[in-house]
Amino acid sequence: MLRCPWALSTEDYVAYHDEEWGRPVHGDDALYERLCLEAFQSGLSWITILRRREGFRAAFADFRIAKVAAFTDADQERLLADPGIIRNRAKIEATLANARVLAEWAPGELDELIWSYAPDGASRPAPATLADVPAVTEESTALSRALKKRGIRFVGPTTAYALMQACGLVNDHLADCAARGD
């Protein structure tokens, strides 16, 4: 089976590529999880996050927005000492602050906002090589701005685009990749 080249280095990547990456994700909690994980990935390899995902889920109450929004200073200190996650103070603080912001939103509002930035898939040809895959787009820049304007932290245009790729808003599987599914 032909796959995107980035997915070939480890079994973890193969499974993530084949079963998750680029498939539509909906639901506020599910999108909050992806937003948080993409923020934690900033400056690191995705495999680092992927291999700690279960640790992140355990540490952050399965990324249930309402539960994380209720975390206390003691929870923050617990997170900073948790070897199962990336112990970056700024990223942990952003994850907690974002949950508090999102807890005030109406159900479905995060899903609706994120998906409102999905570009028309027909407007962009399938990438032939990894060099054809952008790191930032007009849509990811606009999504980043919209999220920041609403109080969401640690979500620049590159993180927003990675979120768009991971959650199926864009299809960046290469043209000859079996997972492309046009």
Side-chain angles (χ1 to χ4, degrees):
M1 178 163 106
L2 290 176
R3 291 183 174 92
C4 298
W6 64 263
L8 302 176
S9 63
T10 71
E11 287 301 314
D12 295 323
Y13 271 155
V14 170
Y16 178 68
H17 172 272
D18 291 357
E19 299 165 19
E20 290 185 64
W21 191 75
R23 289 190 169 55
V25 173
H26 286 281
D28 293 341
D29 289 336
L31 288 166
Y32 169 67
E33 175 182 3
R34 300 323 190 286
L35 181 65
C36 294
L37 294 177
E38 293 297 345
F40 273 101
Q41 186 271 329
S42 181
L44 302 171
S45 169
W46 178 246
I47 197 70
T48 302
I49 304 306
L50 195 56
R51 289 182 173 158
R52 291 186 175 155
R53 186 161 53 170
E54 290 310 315
F56 276 106
R57 287 175 173 162
F60 288 100
D62 287 324
F63 292 98
R64 299 288 182 222
I65 293 168
K67 289 184 177 185
V68 178
F71 278 18
T72 64
D73 289 344
D75 289 306
Q76 182 171 314
E77 293 307 311
R78 170 185 57 81
L79 293 166
L80 286 167
D82 188 336
I85 66 170
I86 304 302
R87 295 171 288 184
N88 178 295
R89 182 177 296 277
K91 293 175 182 182
I92 290 170
E93 287 175 355
T95 299
L96 302 183
N98 290 346
R100 291 179 188 118
V101 168
L102 293 171
E104 300 297 319
W105 292 19
E109 194 171 348
L110 178 62
D111 189 297
E112 184 178 329
L113 176 70
I114 288 173
W115 277 91
S116 73
Y117 288 89
D120 173 19
S123 66
R124 194 168 116 215
T129 70
L130 291 178
D132 298 329
V133 178
V136 173
T137 62
E138 288 181 26
E139 293 88 359
S140 73
T141 300
L143 174 58
S144 171
R145 278 193 208 117
L147 288 167
K148 287 178 180 180
K149 185 176 180 181
R150 302 279 308 268
I152 302 301
R153 295 168 34 191
F154 229 100
V155 60
T158 303
T159 298
Y161 193 68
L163 175 74
M164 294 171 82
Q165 290 174 306
C167 295
L169 280 77
V170 295
N171 185 351
D172 278 343
H173 287 283
L174 300 186
D176 61 356
C177 176
R180 181 149 182 92
D182 285 332

